[in-house]
Amino acid sequence: NGPTNMISKLCFLISIIPCILSLAQAFSVSLGGLSSSRSRLLFVSSLSAPKENALNFSFIRTELKRTHHYMISPASANSGDTGHDEILMKVYFSLKDGKSREDAVATLQSYIASFPFSAVLPVQPLTYIPRGDGNGVDVSFLRKKTQEKGAIDGGMNFLISSSSEEDEEGQIMLVAMRNAEGQTVTKVFTEGLVIKSFVSGLYGDEGGRTGLGKDELMDIMSIQKCIHKWM
């Protein structure tokens, strides 16, 4: 009877093997479905998450611009693009006792007009011309003229304004603005080189460049505050 029982048990095991394989396959498919569903949920969540993150990042970026006094145009703050006539720098000056606004503006105009823009941008062809009204300098970036593009590749305008009454920010203000006329790509890096060199020169910091008559300029007025895009 012993061999007979062993053979019977073996036959029984062989007969139930297909059932076990079928159950294992069904269980595997079930697990795969759950895994796939979970993956789909994670994927859908990942699609919706960036919208919230983008809003948070926009808020943080706006706060940074506000607290660091970045002069960013509304268009650039909303879209991420730089503005057509974005303010790049503001410098506030205060007249010293006994000095006139006319002398201060004329000295500042001469200082800007003699600033070595070409030395700051040795590979960028450019021109810089004092404004006809005597209140600033226009810098134009140049390029090779083609049928599609003109010779002007944007530039920067340095504008001087003055007030007869001194407020908390001073009596004379120098503003540098982007002039994007003719540009297809904004020259943010180039602008940054000019602004940082100009500001460093005013403060006497290392790496800055200056125009002619800086000592005379500082004898007439003092810097109250300076803010710019690359602070």
Side-chain angles (χ1 to χ4, degrees):
N1 291 337
T4 302
N5 289 337
M6 183 67 71
I7 292 172
S8 298
K9 291 179 180 179
L10 184 60
C11 291
F12 174 75
L13 290 174
I14 293 173
S15 65
I16 65 173
I17 284 176
C19 296
I20 294 173
L21 292 176
S22 298
L23 288 173
Q25 184 177 5
F27 185 69
S28 175
V29 170
S30 177
L31 286 179
L34 289 174
S35 177
S36 176
S37 298
R38 184 172 182 273
S39 298
R40 284 194 295 270
L41 287 173
L42 290 174
F43 178 69
V44 171
S45 298
S46 68
L47 288 177
S48 59
K51 296 180 180 179
E52 181 179 357
N53 292 340
L55 291 175
N56 291 338
F57 178 75
S58 176
F59 172 77
I60 293 171
R61 183 175 59 181
T62 301
E63 287 299 299
L64 284 174
K65 289 170 184 173
R66 181 180 65 80
T67 55
H68 288 276
H69 307 287
Y70 284 12
M71 310 307 295
I72 306 298
S73 67
S76 65
N78 293 332
S79 67
D81 297 330
T82 49
H84 182 83
D85 294 316
E86 183 180 356
I87 296 176
L88 306 174
M89 177 195 72
K90 282 186 178 182
V91 184
Y92 298 92
F93 297 93
S94 178
L95 286 174
K96 293 184 177 180
D97 292 341
K99 305 299 182 180
S100 69
R101 293 195 316 277
E102 291 77 11
D103 289 344
V105 170
T107 304
L108 182 56
Q109 164 88 344
S110 176
Y111 179 87
I112 304 168
S114 60
F115 184 81
F117 293 100
S118 297
V120 177
L121 305 172
V123 299
Q124 171 65 62
L126 54 83
T127 62
Y128 47 102
I129 303 172
R131 298 176 66 87
D133 57 9
N135 291 323
V137 172
D138 294 332
V139 181
S140 297
F141 301 139
L142 306 178
R143 66 184 169 212
K144 184 177 180 180
K145 186 176 181 180
T146 65
Q147 291 182 346
E148 295 79 18
K149 299 178 182 179
I152 304 298
D153 192 14
M156 304 168 68
N157 297 328
F158 288 77
L159 309 175
I160 304 170
S161 63
S162 63
S163 171
S164 59
E165 297 182 0
E166 183 171 8
D167 56 24
E168 62 180 4
E169 295 182 329
Q171 293 168 298
I172 296 177
M173 180 174 64
L174 171 62
V175 178
M177 299 184 66
R178 171 183 300 125
N179 177 7
E181 180 183 358
Q183 285 187 345
T184 54
V185 178
T186 304
K187 293 181 172 291
V188 176
F189 180 75
T190 300
E191 295 164 348
L193 291 176
V194 172
I195 296 299
K196 287 185 285 187
S197 179
F198 188 91
V199 171
S200 296
L202 278 178
Y203 281 99
D205 295 336
E206 184 179 356
R209 293 183 179 272
T210 62
L212 300 177
K214 181 189 174 183
D215 291 340
E216 182 183 358
L217 181 67
M218 294 297 103
D219 285 341
I220 297 176
M221 55 188 177
S222 57
I223 302 172
Q224 293 294 100
K225 182 171 65 174
C226 176
I227 53 181
H228 63 83
K229 182 179 174 66
W230 293 268
M231 290 177 69

